[in-house]
Structure formats: C-alpha cells, structure tokens
C-alpha cells in the first residue's frame, strides 16, 4: 500500500509539473521548479516514507487491545531402560499434543493506552518534521533558483565588461598609433581587459556550480529562468507578527510540543506498570499417541479463565522507570522553550538580513544610476581631453561593481524573505503554489485505523484502558491572512507559468 501511495503521488506530481511547464526540458518559472522538487526531490520523498514508517508504531501499539491467537504442537518419543530388572526391561512411549490458545486483554492499567497516545504524538511530531524538511527543500529550491539568475546576470555583466574593455583597448591602440596617448595608456587597457577575462572565466565557473546545485535539488538543469515573483502576500508585516506566527506555525516549535506530549504519555505508561491487568484466556487442547495415530482416541481439554495480575514488588525498578520518564519529559518540556528561543533568534536574523538587503537594494539602485552617469560622462570628457584612459577604466570598473552589488542585494533580499517564511511555517507548497497536488501526511495514518486485525470491541476497550491517560492535543493551524482586496500582493502569488 505504501508503494502504491508513493507511486501515485510521484505520478500525480510529475504530471502536474509537466502540465505546468512551458519548455519540455527546463522549469521556466519558480512555481514550476517548486512543483517539480515537491514531486520528485529524494530528500522530501525519504522523509515522507519515514513518516509512514513512524505511523506504523501507532498501529503496533493499538494491537495491545486486540486478541492474540496461537497454536502449538508437540510430538514426544522416549525410551526408558531399567538395568536392574531381570530380564532387562526397555520401556518405550510416545505422545502428541496440540493446543490452541486465545488471549483477550481487557484492562492493561493504562499501559496500552499510554503507548497509543505516545505513538500518536510521535506521528504528529513526525508530520511537523516533514513540514520542516519541506521548508528546507523549498528554501533550497528558491535559493538555487535566485542563485542561477544572479550568476546568469553576473555573467552577462562580465561579458559586457569584456566587450567594453575590448573596445576601449581598440580605441587606445588607434589613438596610440596617431600619437594622442602613450604606450602606458595602452598597457593599462590591456591589463584591465586581461583581468576582466579572468573574472569572466570565474563567473562562468560560478554559474556552472549554481546550475549543478539547482539540478540537485529540482531534478533537472535550469533553462531560461523567468524573474522570480514576490511573495509579499505571505510575509508578516513586522518582526513582532513574525514571532507571533511562529508560536503556532513554526514546524520546529510544533514538533517540540508534540514530542513533549509523547514523553508525557510515556510517563503515564511507566506509572501504569504499577496497576493490575485483566485478561481473558481460553485453550483448546488435544493429546494422545502419535504411533499408532488414532485421532478419534485423542483426549480433549477445553479451559477458560480470567487472569488478574497485580504487581506487588519489583525491587524499585518500576519507580525508577517513572522517575526516568519524568526527567525525560522535563527535558522535552524545556526543549519546547529552547525551540521557541531558537526560532525567535532565527527570525530575528532573517528579518535583519531582509531589512539590510532592502536597504542595500535602494542604495545600490542609486549607486548604479550615479555610476552609469559618471561612466558616460568620463567617456565624453576623455574624448575632449579632460580625462585620461585610467579615468575611463576606473569609471567602468565602478559601474560593473555597482551592478554586481545590485543583483546580489536583490538575491539576498529574496533569500532572507524565504528564510522568514520558513521560520514562521509558511514556506510550504500549499502556500507558494496551491494549484499543485499536495501530499497528505495524515492519509496513511487514517488508513491504519480500520485495517487487518481490527476488532469491534477495540474502541470501548481503549476507552476503559485510557481513562486516566493524557491524549495528544492537536495544535490548530493559524490561517493565512489574505492580501487586501485590489492590492498588488494578490497578483504577486507564485502562479505556475507566470
């Protein structure tokens, strides 16, 4: 069943990604890259399989409410020699038996109910772990996407720089031939061109590295990537709102809270070892000779019993287990606070990086405009003899540096915004690309509720056994606020093919 579910989701995701693609060989938009990674990324697929395996712990714990049936058989042959007897006596005997045993637990003192509650909380924690891995994978998709676009733009800038410096060198050589400038000016142009070619080679290598990273996380080599759309409709309005959203939306915090619930249930399970247990047992047995075999001569034994077991003394082992479970629960309870602080710190860092990148974008925009005007002016002034060759070369270098800083600032702003979304729990495929088929982490768990081995008296039995056992509390999801009607943010959603 697990293989069929995995195959179905892979097929559905792949078809969705293919249907959204403009080009048959490359994901052209960020939404398409996210859709492809969501359907095929091996890290994400492995985490889903791990969650399905974790769900089986709940099924195994639930089996404690169900009857067990076993059959055993035995065939025995013996020979006894009496050496003191005259004449010597050899006594041979054989026997066979078969026993069918049925045991139905009635009350385990809360042991089974505690194990079931702990397993359910573990499964809920596993779902948050899947959300965390999904956010990491999608964060890698976003980062690799903008890295490729940044490096493509950086390569274009480097190519433009080489072309401009080549023209500058040609002009310098021509002017040197007519005696307008010296050999020094030509050498300066040659040196700058050689340095620009070296930087161009480095830019090509950097782009190849970024493309490889993209292919590793998305599953195919990038083509001509479209500009990344903003996701300001998902961003919190302030850092305080981000902290508030993380309290209920961060997968790290929610996973820690479910882990604490699981260890609390295990404390109840350790205490349940001091409680009595009640079970019903029945046996049906047949016994007789194996040789000669006459089954109609076999004797039959049928018995039924109610077994009550009351723990009295365990040498302090049970109390030690209770203390150990309580301390582990204390660790998990403190882990919740530690998770909150860690997420709060990560949000603060991402938010600060976001604000710094936004300021840098504004500053670099002004820098590029001023550097472009300055470069054009220096070229004009050189033509009338007011500037030297080195002035032109320096102005061109400042312009290229400003353009590179500009694209880096835009990349940093986008990655920092994705980091904030990841910490507050909104870097999910359902938020970014709601049109694609989504994997339901609860579907496998629900399918295990009524499956092979289920008995109709399981539900009342669980109610009796779990009367005093804490049940996992599902943490509600906080809905995503919609952008204002008519605002530009609504149009900025990551729409496939946009």
């Amino acid at each position: 069943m697990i293989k069929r579910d995995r195959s179905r989701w892979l097929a559905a995701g792949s078809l969705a990604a293919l249907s959204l693609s403009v080009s048959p060989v490359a994901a052209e938009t960020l939404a398409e890259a996210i859709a492809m990674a969501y359907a095929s990324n091996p890290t994400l697929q492995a985490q889903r399989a791990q969650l399905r395996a974790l769900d089986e712990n709940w099924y195994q714990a639930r089996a404690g409410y169900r009857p067990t049936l076993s059959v055993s058989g035995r065939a025995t042959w013996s020979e006894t020699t009496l050496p003191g007897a005259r004449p010597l006596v050899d006594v041979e005997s054989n026997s066979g038996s078969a026993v069918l045993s049925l045991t139905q637990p009635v009350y385990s003192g809360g042991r089974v109910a505690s194990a079931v509650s702990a397993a359910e909380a573990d499964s809920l924690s596993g779902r948050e772990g899947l959300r965390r891995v999904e956010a990491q994978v999608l964060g890698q998709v976003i980062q690799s996407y903008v890295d490729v676009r940044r490096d493509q733009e950086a390569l274009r800038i480097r190519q433009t720089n080489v072309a401009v410096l080549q023209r500058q060198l040609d002009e310098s050589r021509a002017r040197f031939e007519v005696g307008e400038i010296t050999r020094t000016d030509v050498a300066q142009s040659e040196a700058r061109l050689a340095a620009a070619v070296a930087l161009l080679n480095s830019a090509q290598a950097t782009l190849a590295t970024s493309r490889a990273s993209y292919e590793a996380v998305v599953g195919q080599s990038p083509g001509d990537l479209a500009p990344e759309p903003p996701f300001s409709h998902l961003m919190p309005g302030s850092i305080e709102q981000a902290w508030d959203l993380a309290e209920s939306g961060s997968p790290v915090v929610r996973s820690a809270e479910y882990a604490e619930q699981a260890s609390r249930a295990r404390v109840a399970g350790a205490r349940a070892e001091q409680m009595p247990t009640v079970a019903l047992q029945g046996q049906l047995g047949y016994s007789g000779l194996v040789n000669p075999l006459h089954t109609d001569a076999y004797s039959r034994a049928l018995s039924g019993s109610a077994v009550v077991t009351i723990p009295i003394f365990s040498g302090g082992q049970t109390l030690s287990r209770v203390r150990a479970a309580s301390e582990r629960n204390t660790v998990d309870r403190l882990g919740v606070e530690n998770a909150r602080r860690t997420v709060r710190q990560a949000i603060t860092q991402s938010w600060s990086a976001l604000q710094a990148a936004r300021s840098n974008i504004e500053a670099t925009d002004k820098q590029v405009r001023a550097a472009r005007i300055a470069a054009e002016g220096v070229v004009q002034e050189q033509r009338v003899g007011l500037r030297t060759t080195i002035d032109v070369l320096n102005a061109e270098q400042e312009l290229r540096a400003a353009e590179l800083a500009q694209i880096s600032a835009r990349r940093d702003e986008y990655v920092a915004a994705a980091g904030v979304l990841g910490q507050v729990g909104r870097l999910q495929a359902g938020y970014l690309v709601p049109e694609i088929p989504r994997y339901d982490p609860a579907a496998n768990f629900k399918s295990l509720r009524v499956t092979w081995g289920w008995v109709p008296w399981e539900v009342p039995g669980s109610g009796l056994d779990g009367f005093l056992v804490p049940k996992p509390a599902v943490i509600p999801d906080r809905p995503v606020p919609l952008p204002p009607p008519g605002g530009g943010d609504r149009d900025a959603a990551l729409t496939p093919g946009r």
Side-chain angles (χ1 to χ4, degrees):
M1 180 180 65
I2 291 175
K3 292 182 178 179
R4 290 198 302 270
D5 290 343
R6 181 166 60 251
S7 300
R8 185 172 63 252
W9 277 106
L10 281 171
S14 300
L15 288 175
L18 290 174
S19 65
L20 296 174
S21 299
V22 177
S23 169
V25 296
E28 298 295 335
T29 67
L30 179 57
E32 292 164 356
I34 289 175
M36 180 162 292
Y38 185 77
S40 62
N41 184 269
T43 301
L44 193 54
Q45 295 293 331
Q47 190 66 25
R48 291 169 182 169
Q50 184 174 348
L51 176 60
R52 291 192 294 268
L54 188 62
D55 291 342
E56 296 295 335
N57 292 338
W58 180 86
Y59 179 80
Q60 295 167 19
R62 195 83 180 178
Y65 294 129
R66 298 164 184 170
T68 58
L69 183 65
S70 63
V71 62
S72 62
R74 173 180 295 183
T76 305
W77 175 86
S78 65
E79 179 182 7
T80 303
T81 302
L82 302 176
R86 295 291 185 272
L88 188 64
V89 177
D90 286 338
V91 180
E92 295 183 2
S93 66
N94 67 84
S95 63
S97 63
V99 179
L100 181 67
S101 301
L102 174 67
T103 302
Q104 171 62 59
V106 177
Y107 178 67
S108 71
R111 294 171 178 83
V112 176
S114 299
V116 170
S117 295
E120 184 174 356
D122 285 339
S123 181
L124 293 171
S125 179
R127 295 179 199 177
E128 298 305 320
L130 176 59
R131 288 184 63 221
R132 177 180 55 81
V133 171
E134 180 182 335
Q136 291 174 350
V137 170
L138 297 189
Q140 293 171 1
V141 173
I142 291 173
Q143 180 172 339
S144 62
Y145 189 96
V146 295
D147 282 351
V148 170
R149 280 188 40 79
R150 176 201 60 190
D151 295 338
Q152 286 176 340
E153 186 66 15
L155 180 61
R156 184 195 63 78
I157 292 173
R158 294 298 185 190
Q159 290 171 339
T160 301
N161 190 39
V162 169
V164 170
L165 292 178
Q166 182 63 57
R167 288 196 301 270
Q168 180 65 33
L169 176 59
D170 295 339
E171 292 178 5
S172 296
R173 288 172 175 170
R175 296 179 65 189
F176 173 72
E177 292 294 334
V178 299
E180 292 184 7
I181 60 176
T182 66
R183 179 62 185 170
T184 302
D185 295 306
V186 177
Q188 289 172 341
S189 298
E190 291 175 343
R192 288 294 176 89
L193 177 60
V197 171
L199 292 175
L200 175 61
N201 295 334
S202 298
Q204 291 173 337
T206 302
L207 176 59
T209 302
S210 298
R211 290 173 63 87
S213 299
Y214 180 97
E215 185 174 1
V217 66
V218 176
Q220 67 177 16
S221 181
D224 185 14
L225 303 183
E228 61 276 3
F231 34 53
S232 53
H233 62 296
L234 296 175
M235 290 293 295
S238 64
I239 189 172
E240 290 78 11
Q241 186 182 7
W243 290 337
D244 185 54
L245 289 174
E247 284 291 325
S248 63
S250 169
V252 177
V253 175
R254 291 166 64 95
S255 179
E257 290 177 343
Y258 284 130
E260 189 278 330
Q261 293 185 28
S263 63
R264 194 191 319 161
R266 291 186 173 94
V267 173
R271 289 173 178 164
E273 295 183 10
Q274 307 174 44
M275 301 294 291
T277 62
V278 180
L280 299 179
Q281 294 181 349
Q283 285 190 340
L284 174 63
Y286 290 88
S287 61
L289 293 176
V290 176
N291 185 24
L293 179 63
H294 298 291
T295 56
D296 54 348
Y298 269 44
S299 61
R300 186 185 69 174
L302 179 64
S303 65
S305 58
V307 181
V308 179
T309 304
I310 302 176
I312 296 178
F313 181 69
S314 64
Q317 187 179 50
T318 301
L319 293 177
S320 176
R321 290 176 179 173
V322 172
R323 292 193 298 269
S326 298
E327 293 300 334
R328 283 190 287 268
N329 178 248
T330 300
V331 172
D332 290 335
R333 190 168 59 252
L334 295 174
V336 175
E337 179 60 25
N338 184 58
R340 289 195 179 101
R341 295 185 182 186
T342 301
V343 170
R344 188 183 181 95
Q345 178 188 15
I347 290 175
T348 302
Q349 293 172 344
S350 297
W351 190 268
S352 299
L354 176 63
Q355 299 306 312
R358 287 175 175 173
S359 300
N360 290 341
I361 289 175
E362 183 178 356
T364 54
D365 287 346
K366 295 179 180 179
Q367 182 184 5
V368 168
R369 287 194 296 269
R372 184 172 290 114
I373 294 173
E376 293 173 356
V378 170
V379 171
Q380 297 298 327
E381 292 172 359
Q382 183 205 28
R383 291 174 179 173
V384 296
L386 298 178
R387 294 283 184 172
T388 63
T389 301
I390 192 63
D391 293 329
V392 175
L393 296 175
N394 289 339
E396 287 292 339
Q397 185 177 16
E398 291 177 359
L399 174 58
R400 305 310 168 201
E403 291 174 339
L404 292 172
Q406 182 185 52
I407 62 174
S408 293
R410 291 174 178 172
R411 176 264 181 198
D412 294 343
E413 189 269 345
Y414 208 78
V415 172
V420 173
L421 292 181
Q423 294 300 329
V424 302
R426 292 185 175 181
L427 198 63
Q428 308 292 321
Y431 289 151
L432 300 177
V433 193
E435 293 82 5
I436 66 174
R438 281 178 283 168
Y439 178 82
D440 184 5
N444 182 71
F445 185 85
K446 294 176 181 177
S447 68
L448 297 176
R449 289 190 173 274
V450 180
T451 184
W452 172 255
W454 181 85
V455 290
W457 55 87
E458 181 179 324
V459 175
S462 63
L464 173 64
D465 196 60
F467 180 69
L468 298 177
V469 176
K471 303 296 188 298
V474 179
I475 304 172
D477 293 325
R478 179 168 299 186
V480 180
L482 294 176
D489 287 345
R490 184 183 299 275
D491 297 332
L494 300 183
T495 303
R498 185 178 172 82

